[in-house]
Amino acid sequence: MKYDDAEYYFLDFETELPNENGGRHMGLFLEWAVLRGLASDELMTRSEALRRGETTGLKLLFDHCDGKLWDSDLNDEGNAFAMDAYERWGMVDFIDAMNCTAESSGDDIFGAEVTPQRHDRVLWQWDRRYSDWLRQFGLPDKDALLGRLLVAVQPVAEAAGFSRLVDNARGSHQVGATFECADTWGYRRFEMTAVDIPQWFYGVRVRLYVHHQQLCDVIYTEKQLDQDLASGLQTCAEVSFASLAEGWDGPRHDYLMRDCGFWIFRDAQIETFASWLAGRLRSFALPTLRSLDGIDSLALAYGTRPMSASPIYEPRDPYPALLSAEMARHPRLGQMLVETETAIRTAESHQLTWDQESALRLIERIRERSKQPR
């Protein structure tokens, strides 16, 4: 059975687009299928090359499949999913990711640049479709999911000095558990949330963050100078999802760069993930969070060389890093200002957050303040 053929599309090209462009959406699906273990045995031998960037789904499509997507290119589960979802969503989601519409010409759709962001969006859409399709085979509700995670995770959190708070992260689609290590200056928290949002996400979100009241007040005061409506709710530091997720070879829900989490596709994956998370919390995440016990330690953690090497690096909001470094009189403050300013000025304007744009004014104020005698 043939699901799709690049020839269907490139024969209709009105401009000099390469024939391979007609198979872009197919190549992305094939790439996703290999990464999720849904491809044929032959194609699965290319999975490591795909992960290392030595090949692409499009190359696999034309080198191994002659530009056609057949049932023989997928395993049994991959075919079951493709029969239900490929025709319905394959082209629709690809067109959307290319910022086109159903009324766009074929040359506009297949000639659009497949940027890294568009590439990741297509794969994220397939994860969404796959997760929703798997629901029919049975997954525990959010409360049961959280309960099974806590069996492995709660003892680790409590052993690290984090006490469980009264649960308040509950909604129609999520339920969570919060653990806190309090101090006179504020607190450090670890939150784990089981999420069940049909057609969007089923899995686990984890946050590890610091609330230092003095630093929060300073951040708020500075943002009021730069922004019309600065929020009183500020985060001083948060262990980045990328740092937390190192070593996890399962699927991640991180395309949007917010509300990141870990996909759970099957019931059998829950204990495997819980065991991995407990180990990661024990060996890295909770010790890192415990070490952030004041302004000096926050400045030290932010002030790595380069700043992007820090486990709490957050380029979208430079205020906590720069202000903690100023308050602690960190010796790398001047270099941090240059590094942050360079990153902002060399980024595409549409990729900048409000905090990044306004931080340019903060940088100038810090430089002026540094000239004043203390």
Side-chain angles (χ1 to χ4, degrees):
M1 173 182 172
K2 183 164 67 174
Y3 293 109
D4 211 345
D5 190 332
E7 188 175 332
Y8 296 159
Y9 309 96
F10 67 65
L11 288 179
D12 289 332
F13 288 170
E14 298 178 359
T15 56
E16 297 299 319
L17 292 175
N19 289 349
E20 287 79 4
N21 282 32
R24 282 175 163 182
H25 63 297
M26 300 161 58
L28 288 168
F29 174 77
L30 197 61
E31 176 180 340
W32 173 84
V34 172
L35 293 175
R36 294 295 172 257
L38 301 175
S40 65
D41 290 343
E42 178 186 357
L43 287 173
M44 287 304 300
T45 64
R46 306 295 296 158
S47 62
E48 287 306 311
L50 196 59
R51 294 179 193 278
R52 292 192 298 264
E54 297 170 2
T55 189
T56 66
L58 191 61
K59 289 181 180 178
L60 291 179
L61 178 71
F62 281 92
D63 292 348
H64 294 269
C65 309
D66 194 31
K68 302 171 179 59
L69 184 62
W70 296 89
D71 55 358
S72 57
D73 299 321
L74 304 172
N75 62 21
D76 289 346
E77 184 174 332
N79 275 301
F81 173 64
M83 289 179 68
D84 183 76
Y86 183 83
E87 185 175 353
R88 253 198 310 168
W89 300 114
M91 187 56 72
V92 170
D93 288 341
F94 178 76
I95 290 173
D96 176 68
M98 296 304 111
N99 291 336
C100 293
T101 67
E103 288 72 39
S104 300
S105 70
D107 288 60
D108 286 341
I109 294 169
F110 292 103
E113 181 184 1
V114 182
T115 62
Q117 188 266 351
R118 290 173 175 176
H119 167 277
D120 292 348
R121 181 174 179 83
V122 174
L123 269 58
W124 168 70
Q125 291 282 40
W126 278 123
D127 276 336
R128 285 181 53 208
R129 307 306 181 192
Y130 182 54
S131 176
D132 213 49
W133 177 75
L134 286 170
R135 290 171 183 274
Q136 64 184 301
F137 304 110
L139 285 166
D141 63 28
K142 60 185 184 300
D143 294 277
L145 173 58
L146 179 65
R148 289 166 64 177
L149 295 168
L150 286 171
V151 171
V153 169
Q154 184 162 338
V156 173
E158 292 175 343
F162 288 76
S163 302
R164 186 173 177 182
L165 303 180
V166 175
D167 294 338
N168 56 8
R170 174 177 290 276
S172 57
H173 296 298
Q174 65 182 38
V175 59
T178 301
F179 299 85
E180 181 179 278
C181 180
D183 212 318
T184 54
W185 47 261
Y187 54 78
R188 288 151 289 187
R189 283 184 180 172
F190 154 51
E191 296 177 354
M192 180 174 64
T193 307
V195 184
D196 182 2
I197 307 176
Q199 299 182 17
W200 191 258
F201 179 59
Y202 180 95
V204 184
R205 291 179 181 148
V206 177
R207 288 189 67 207
L208 301 109
Y209 60 95
V210 177
H211 177 87
H212 190 290
Q213 189 59 56
Q214 182 186 6
L215 179 55
C216 282
D217 291 343
V218 172
I219 294 170
Y220 176 64
T221 298
E222 295 288 344
K223 285 189 177 182
Q224 278 189 310
L225 298 174
D226 300 327
Q227 302 172 5
D228 294 333
L229 295 172
S231 170
L233 300 175
Q234 299 294 331
T235 298
C236 296
E238 182 168 349
V239 176
S240 71
F241 180 77
S243 296
L244 172 66
E246 283 184 14
W248 175 246
D249 58 4
R252 306 176 188 181
H253 182 271
D254 57 359
Y255 159 72
L256 296 174
M257 300 300 294
R258 56 180 171 78
D259 296 330
C260 296
F262 301 90
W263 289 100
I264 299 292
F265 288 142
R266 297 176 178 83
D267 185 280
Q269 293 176 335
I270 295 172
E271 273 66 36
T272 299
F273 171 74
S275 176
W276 173 85
L277 179 60
R280 187 65 175 157
L281 290 168
R282 183 188 299 109
S283 64
F284 164 73
L286 293 178
T288 298
L289 196 60
R290 283 296 302 258
S291 71
L292 303 175
D293 57 1
I295 296 296
D296 289 345
S297 61
L298 285 167
L300 185 65
Y302 276 124
T304 56
R305 186 183 289 111
M307 293 172 67
S308 58
S310 171
I312 58 172
Y313 177 64
E314 174 47 276
R316 293 170 296 180
D317 184 0
Y319 282 76
L322 300 182
L323 290 169
S324 63
E326 182 186 31
M327 294 168 70
R329 301 185 183 183
H330 194 288
R332 255 184 44 82
L333 175 59
Q335 294 169 295
M336 292 169 69
L337 295 173
V338 171
E339 192 174 331
T340 302
E341 181 179 23
T342 300
I344 294 172
R345 293 194 184 280
T346 56
E348 297 287 342
S349 59
H350 68 274
Q351 296 177 333
L352 294 175
T353 65
W354 195 7
D355 287 328
Q356 286 174 301
E357 291 178 347
S358 63
L360 292 174
R361 294 187 288 276
L362 170 68
I363 289 170
E364 291 306 311
R365 288 199 301 276
I366 292 178
R367 284 176 173 150
E368 287 301 315
R369 292 196 291 254
S370 69
K371 298 175 184 176
Q372 300 172 7
R374 292 181 179 273

